[in-house]
Amino acid sequence: MEPYREGWNYDRRLVDITMRDGVKLHTVFLVPKGARNAPILLTRTPYDAEKLTSNVHSGNLIAALDGYDNAADIIVAGGYIRVIQDVRGKYKSGGGYVMNRPLVGSGLNPTQVDDATDTWDTIDWLVKNLPESNGRVGTLGISYDGYEPLVALVNPHPALKVSVPMNPMVDGWRGDDWFHNGAFRQMNADYIWEQVATTDNSDPFWWNSRDIYDAFMRAGSAGAFGRIHGLDQIGFWRKLTEHPAYDTFWQAQAMDKILAAQPLKVPVMLVHSLWDQEDIYGAPAVYAALKPKDTAGDMVFLTLGPWHHGQEIDDGTHSGNISWDQDAAKWWRWHVLAPFLAHYLKDEPMDVAPVTAFQSGVNEWRRLNAWPERPAAARLYLKPGMSLGFSPAEGAAETADYVSDPAHPVTFVPRPVRPTGYDDDHWTDWLTTDQRNAAARPDVLTFTSEVLTAPVTIAGQPVVHLSASTSGTDSDWVVKLIDVYPDETPVRRDMGGYQFAVGMDIFRGRYRQSLSDPKPITPNAPLAYSFALPPANHVFLPGHRIMVQVQSSWFPLYDRNPQTFTPNIFFAKPQDYVKATQKVVIAGPSESYIELPLVN
């Protein structure tokens, strides 16, 4: 039975489009009433096309699109035909589902179809069968839906005129969903189960604990947790456990590497959230891979916004407790995204900078020619007395020590730790949470600068240069760069002394020499560890302090390092988990420091 559609301002159509191998993909079309010569905006998704085109059951198009994965205001104002399609194997599409299906020719896909071919076939059908369209297609999406606009750039259809990957999944090992520098993001276990176990995500994951800290601790290793919860039935979970290192399985799927080897044919705007709790690696990595190909400067654009994952289509006034003094998401949609799409899909003029970057601290948008704009490297040293400074310490070698105990790991947020979800800021905004909870622990080293008398501005990726030893044979190193607010603040008195993390990340020590070939750490030997923190565009204001924290666990977001070298940490045994004495060098020739991308 068809719904009553009197007064609707759009036409809703459902079509199963046949791919080159005969598989049919379920596709939903929302065509504005009276549309003529209208461009098409395509999103391909594993998250239910029918649901994403009826976020509100309404005959008003802007209501139907109000929610994930739509920038409803600019889609409706631009008069676009909205098309959302279930990827193969999900919801009402045929075929089998494979998480981030590897491309044909990668050595990981034995078939002749992938998301790139499915996108090509879909676009070909669209331009031949939608008489209301002008024959131009743009593709956009967030997260997994942001991965799809990237694969569309591989042998793109001639009608594809623009691609907007937002917070895309790019490299699951280096720093997106599954690992960060080798440390496994075990809190994604529920996503893996629900995404792969059924075609329609109808079998929910059962945590059996209000505080999932307890669930992971009782299980022991991540592999044991997976077995207890039946994840070892899931093919993708088995792949994760079989490939804990950065081997060819991960390298062959990394979209920045794939696109670096492709000709640049379609204008692209990469959208990055500076506090993205899920895919903080991908967009800047693809930008770095593609920008050298943009010889005329009119093909590769970048946005860096003050958002959590996907917040650019939502309210952007704040992230957790941090206010941006404006709706930074709405401003970006109307001043950057809308003219960008209209330019390539409707030939309208645009004035969009090659890089549009929000500068936190002063809370202002900047128009830049490139990212980063030639910052100067400045060393911020970890010094005796738990201090920080831009000049090295004088005197003999010295260390700051702590004991890392896997039986009492440092949490990434205060307990109780709830599962991932978008119902509150417990998950979405955890990267902006106050770090004083960690600073109070004896197993976290906290280095603090003097009160700043002049602004310190950084734009780019801070790089950690840690010289440290462990009494174990493996170790994780977590480093945080933090902006400490004044002890007393006007208006927002609750922000007095707030420790706001500008950038944080983890590195698994076994990969110090090679990301693909793990090695035991020599116990009690000071060794050099180097890794980049996520991009930052921030001003540390006068009256504030700069802080650096160092710790060896970040639980239960990441699995615990047993601190005993084992061939595969997924299957570490209870006896492998041992205390370790960690020593960070803070004076002498090997003094630890963070290389800051300083801007005058």
Side-chain angles (χ1 to χ4, degrees):
M1 182 179 296
E2 287 293 317
Y4 182 71
R5 291 183 173 176
E6 180 68 28
W8 284 37
N9 62 8
Y10 66 97
D11 184 25
R12 181 182 179 88
R13 307 170 191 168
L14 307 177
V15 178
D16 293 336
I17 301 176
T18 304
M19 301 293 104
R20 63 189 64 183
D21 63 344
V23 168
K24 296 181 182 295
L25 302 188
H26 189 63
T27 312
V28 183
F29 302 82
L30 303 183
V31 183
K33 284 292 179 68
R36 296 290 184 273
N37 202 35
I40 301 166
L41 283 181
L42 168 66
T43 294
R44 304 187 67 252
T45 183
Y47 301 131
D48 191 354
E50 293 206 17
K51 181 179 179 180
L52 299 190
T53 51
S54 56
N55 286 302
V56 176
H57 294 285
S58 173
N60 189 346
L61 181 56
I62 198 167
L65 291 176
D66 184 22
Y68 194 86
D69 183 18
N70 299 293
D73 46 3
I74 67 110
I75 291 174
V76 173
Y80 296 101
I81 298 171
R82 187 70 172 118
V83 179
I84 301 187
Q85 179 183 75
D86 291 327
V87 299
R88 62 173 59 216
K90 292 301 294 182
Y91 291 89
K92 293 185 178 180
S93 281
Y97 176 69
V98 178
M99 183 85 75
N100 301 114
R101 183 184 300 272
L103 296 180
V104 173
S106 65
L108 303 172
N109 183 347
T111 75
Q112 294 302 308
V113 295
D114 54 28
D115 288 286
T117 65
D118 285 349
T119 304
W120 200 102
D121 293 348
T122 298
I123 293 175
D124 197 58
W125 190 97
L126 294 176
V127 296
K128 293 175 179 176
N129 291 276
L130 280 178
E132 299 92 343
S133 83
N134 65 359
R136 298 187 188 187
V137 179
T139 182
L140 76 169
I142 297 168
S143 193
Y144 199 120
D145 299 359
Y147 163 80
E148 293 294 328
L150 291 178
V151 297
L153 300 175
V154 178
N155 186 29
H157 193 284
L160 181 64
K161 301 302 181 183
V162 70
S163 173
V164 184
M166 305 180 189
N167 313 116
M169 302 166 80
V170 170
D171 190 321
W173 195 94
R174 291 299 305 274
D176 285 331
D177 291 88
W178 317 124
F179 297 83
H180 273 224
N181 297 313
F184 176 57
R185 304 196 101 202
Q186 60 184 4
M187 274 186 64
N188 284 332
D190 57 348
Y191 174 87
I192 294 168
W193 172 268
E194 292 173 2
Q195 193 69 14
V196 183
T198 59
T199 59
D200 59 356
N201 293 41
S202 59
D203 189 2
F205 186 86
W206 297 88
W207 282 103
N208 302 332
S209 176
R210 168 64 176 169
D211 185 351
I212 63 174
Y213 175 100
D214 292 326
F216 282 110
M217 286 297 291
R218 289 167 184 158
S221 68
F225 177 88
R227 178 185 54 78
I228 291 168
H229 289 270
L231 282 157
D232 49 4
Q233 305 170 74
I234 303 296
F236 183 70
W237 177 265
R238 294 197 297 270
K239 289 291 186 183
L240 289 172
T241 63
E242 292 165 4
H243 298 277
Y246 196 53
D247 57 17
T248 55
F249 175 79
W250 296 110
Q251 295 177 36
Q253 297 183 66
M255 287 306 303
D256 56 330
K257 295 179 175 63
I258 291 170
L259 293 175
Q262 295 283 325
L264 181 60
K265 296 181 178 180
V266 178
V268 58
M269 175 180 286
L270 293 145
V271 183
H272 174 68
S273 294
L274 290 162
W275 286 273
D276 189 323
Q277 78 280 8
E278 294 172 26
D279 293 303
I280 203 166
Y281 176 86
V286 175
Y287 174 80
L290 291 184
K291 191 59 181 177
K293 300 173 179 288
D294 185 13
T295 55
D298 60 354
M299 292 286 283
V300 180
F301 296 77
L302 176 67
T303 289
L304 300 106
W307 310 309
H308 60 66
H309 189 72
Q311 193 181 4
E312 59 268 31
I313 64 166
D314 205 340
D315 175 84
T317 57
H318 67 283
S319 291
N321 290 318
I322 308 300
S323 171
W324 306 123
D325 303 324
Q326 59 181 283
D327 188 338
K330 182 178 181 180
W331 183 94
W332 173 78
R333 290 195 304 271
W334 286 99
H335 292 86
V336 181
L337 179 60
F340 182 77
L341 292 173
H343 179 69
Y344 290 104
L345 296 175
K346 298 191 289 187
D347 291 327
E348 294 183 8
M350 76 168 184
D351 181 19
V352 174
V355 176
T356 305
F358 192 86
Q359 191 174 58
S360 52
V362 295
N363 294 349
E364 295 176 354
W365 285 101
R366 303 296 189 200
R367 292 168 55 93
L368 307 175
N369 291 320
W371 176 262
E373 279 199 322
R374 298 182 299 280
R379 294 185 175 186
L380 181 66
Y381 290 94
L382 281 55
K383 304 179 71 169
M386 308 311 289
S387 63
L388 288 174
F390 287 102
S391 58
E394 298 178 355
E398 187 175 336
T399 63
D401 307 348
Y402 63 98
V403 175
S404 172
D405 184 359
H408 302 283
V410 183
T411 59
F412 77 104
V413 291
R415 295 180 66 183
V417 181
R418 299 193 295 277
T420 59
Y422 289 83
D423 55 342
D424 58 33
D425 64 2
H426 182 79
W427 171 247
T428 57
D429 294 319
W430 77 264
L431 282 171
T432 64
T433 55
D434 195 340
Q435 295 301 305
R436 279 180 285 196
N437 183 66
R441 292 184 56 125
D443 51 357
V444 177
L445 299 180
T446 300
F447 302 87
T448 312
S449 75
E450 297 293 330
V451 175
L452 299 176
T453 58
V456 174
T457 302
I458 60 173
Q461 285 193 270
V463 178
V464 173
H465 295 272
L466 196 68
S467 180
S469 67
T470 176
S471 62
T473 51
D474 199 359
S475 178
D476 286 350
W477 303 102
V478 179
V479 177
K480 310 172 186 176
L481 178 64
I482 296 167
D483 183 340
V484 182
Y485 283 43
D487 292 340
E488 297 285 351
T489 56
V491 184
R492 289 287 308 276
R493 296 184 64 186
D494 61 310
M495 296 300 291
Y498 197 94
Q499 295 179 9
F500 168 40
V502 175
M504 308 186 279
D505 219 335
I506 187 170
F507 185 88
R508 184 141 286 176
R510 60 175 49 210
Y511 300 110
R512 185 184 72 87
Q513 295 173 283
S514 168
L515 299 181
S516 60
D517 186 17
K519 300 288 186 184
I521 296 172
T522 303
N524 301 311
L527 300 172
Y529 299 88
S530 181
F531 59 97
L533 299 182
N537 191 35
H538 184 73
V539 180
F540 297 89
L541 296 172
H544 292 225
R545 300 173 187 261
I546 303 175
M547 176 181 286
V548 171
Q549 292 180 1
V550 181
Q551 60 199 55
S552 292
S553 54
W554 222 8
F555 188 79
L557 176 61
Y558 294 96
D559 64 334
R560 293 175 301 153
N561 192 316
Q563 301 180 153
T564 300
F565 184 86
T566 61
N568 189 332
I569 290 180
F570 276 101
F571 304 109
K573 303 300 182 184
Q575 61 269 25
D576 296 327
Y577 292 86
V578 298
K579 292 181 181 180
T581 299
Q582 316 288 69
K583 298 183 177 182
V584 176
V585 179
I586 57 172
S590 301
E591 184 177 356
S592 302
Y593 64 92
I594 296 183
E595 184 178 305
L596 293 182
L598 207 62
V599 177
N600 290 329

